Amino acid sequence: MTPTADPAPPVFAGARDRLVRRLGEPAVLVCGIVNVTPDSFYDGGRYQDPARAVDHGHTLVAEGAEMLDVGGESTRPGSHPPSVAEEIARVIPVIDALAHTTSVPVSVDTSRPEVMREAVAAGAVMINDVRALRLRGALDAAAALKVPVCLMHMQGEPATMQIAPTYYDVVGEVHRFLVGRVARCLTAGVAREHIVLDPGFGFGKTLEHNLALLAGLRSISNLGCPVMAGLSRKGMLGAITGRAVTDRLAASVAAAVVAAQQGASILRVHDVAATVDAIAVIRAVDTARATARNIDS
Ligand code: 7PM
């Protein structure tokens, strides 16, 4: 391939460009989670069989997902990464099938450059990296692939991150980390309009840290890049409500609404139908507010 060639297969370049345009619009986008892991904290094991994961992706699109995020590494606290070969074997068939059979953009949840390249070749049009392109070769791979990238903050690694998370000023530190990663991406050749930021709820954070980040999400969305928020069914919602992971729907929807009102652009969720309805209410109120302003003036 010549250096100037578009690395996305031509059939997917349009999907990528539509996603980039969509990310530039104000309306929040609901991204459905497709886990292809044996051990994810909520739906792990349920969609381990690729055909079932693909079916689940179709169900989420029917529920109104405007995007799908496919991951093969469980990053739940205490988990260890699979081998590269194992991760590729999990996610590539699912990405390939979903990219060819749905109308929505598919993103790959990975930290590994080998997986990023195979995923984009299979039709992924975004990279979602919980390690913010810090693994060797990831930054250059993402820049060369010319797709949007989500840079997420995490303190430590999944195996140990929840043992003793420590911050002096969690919002300031996450903000500073993301600003630094944006600078590294721009230097490596990632286009500014391809950068999405995520504070990484639950990734090396106590309940107090997560709440400070949700309350202060504006300071991150004010950086000018679209923000992704992943709060769905997470431990912080269990800590607040006292409910098990299977009974956190209402708490998850409430958290998604708060994130949207703090400027989040992408809501990464398990429960697409309920979140889409909640977002419809936000949009209706926003429209009414804009109309009232027009009448006033
Ligand atoms: C604990 C923490 C349990 C995280 C499960 C998870 C995010 C992500 C995941 C997120 C982005 C889950 C996960 N969470 N990618 N991948 N942001 N960008 O909820 O918050 O499935 S994994």
Side-chain angles (χ1 to χ4, degrees):
M1 189 170 60
T2 59
T4 50
D6 191 335
V11 272
F12 301 114
R16 176 201 58 202
D17 296 342
R18 278 193 299 280
L19 172 63
V20 173
R21 273 198 301 278
R22 181 67 179 74
L23 290 175
E25 291 170 12
V28 58
L29 188 156
V30 175
C31 174
I33 301 171
V34 179
N35 272 318
V36 202
T37 58
D39 59 348
S40 169
F41 77 115
Y42 171 52
D43 52 9
R46 268 206 271 170
Y47 310 111
Q48 209 183 336
D49 166 17
R52 294 184 65 179
V54 172
D55 275 353
H56 185 58
H58 289 145
T59 301
L60 297 179
V61 172
E63 289 181 18
E66 284 190 82
M67 186 175 158
L68 294 173
D69 185 41
V70 180
E73 176 195 353
S74 167
T75 46
R76 87 163 166 210
S79 63
H80 293 270
S83 71
V84 174
E86 173 63 29
E87 193 184 340
I88 285 174
R90 285 181 193 169
V91 298
I92 300 304
V94 176
I95 290 169
D96 187 283
L98 288 173
H100 286 90
T101 59
T102 69
S103 51
V104 304
V106 176
S107 99
V108 59
D109 187 343
T110 191
S111 298
R112 289 161 159 165
E114 303 88 340
V115 183
M116 293 172 187
R117 283 189 283 267
E118 296 227 15
V120 171
V125 294
M126 177 162 161
I127 295 164
N128 170 28
D129 184 4
V130 300
R131 295 181 184 79
L133 305 177
R134 285 178 293 164
L135 289 196
R136 185 184 305 279
L139 194 53
D140 290 337
L145 291 168
K146 301 194 187 310
V147 292
V149 293
C150 179
L151 307 171
M152 198 197 79
H153 176 273
M154 169 164 60
Q155 184 179 87
E157 272 291 310
T160 51
M161 66 189 177
Q162 288 306 107
I163 294 174
T166 308
Y167 300 84
Y168 170 70
D169 163 18
V170 66
V171 177
E173 285 169 56
V174 169
H175 185 276
R176 197 155 353 130
F177 169 85
L178 293 173
V179 167
R181 293 314 294 166
V182 169
R184 293 292 297 270
C185 280
L186 295 175
T187 305
V190 176
R192 183 175 277 285
E193 64 269 24
H194 281 179
I195 300 176
V196 176
L197 303 177
D198 187 330
F201 292 106
F203 286 86
K205 283 132 192 145
T206 63
L207 172 61
E208 185 189 7
H209 298 142
N210 288 315
L211 287 172
L213 283 168
L214 185 51
L217 199 62
R218 253 309 151 200
S219 87
I220 291 162
S221 59
N222 281 345
L223 285 169
C225 296
V227 167
M228 179 173 332
L231 291 146
S232 187
R233 306 227 169 220
K234 280 188 179 171
M236 61 183 284
L237 304 177
I240 294 168
T241 61
R243 294 192 189 277
V245 67
T246 47
D247 299 322
R248 296 179 191 162
L249 172 59
S252 296
V253 172
V257 167
V258 174
Q261 298 207 305
Q262 300 288 326
S265 295
I266 305 177
L267 304 172
R268 184 184 175 279
V269 305
H270 298 95
D271 305 286
V272 168
T275 310
V276 165
D277 279 2
I279 295 315
V281 175
I282 296 181
R283 274 187 207 161
V285 175
D286 283 348
T287 304
R289 191 179 293 116
T291 308
R293 259 201 302 276
N294 287 340
I295 292 167
D296 283 349
S297 59

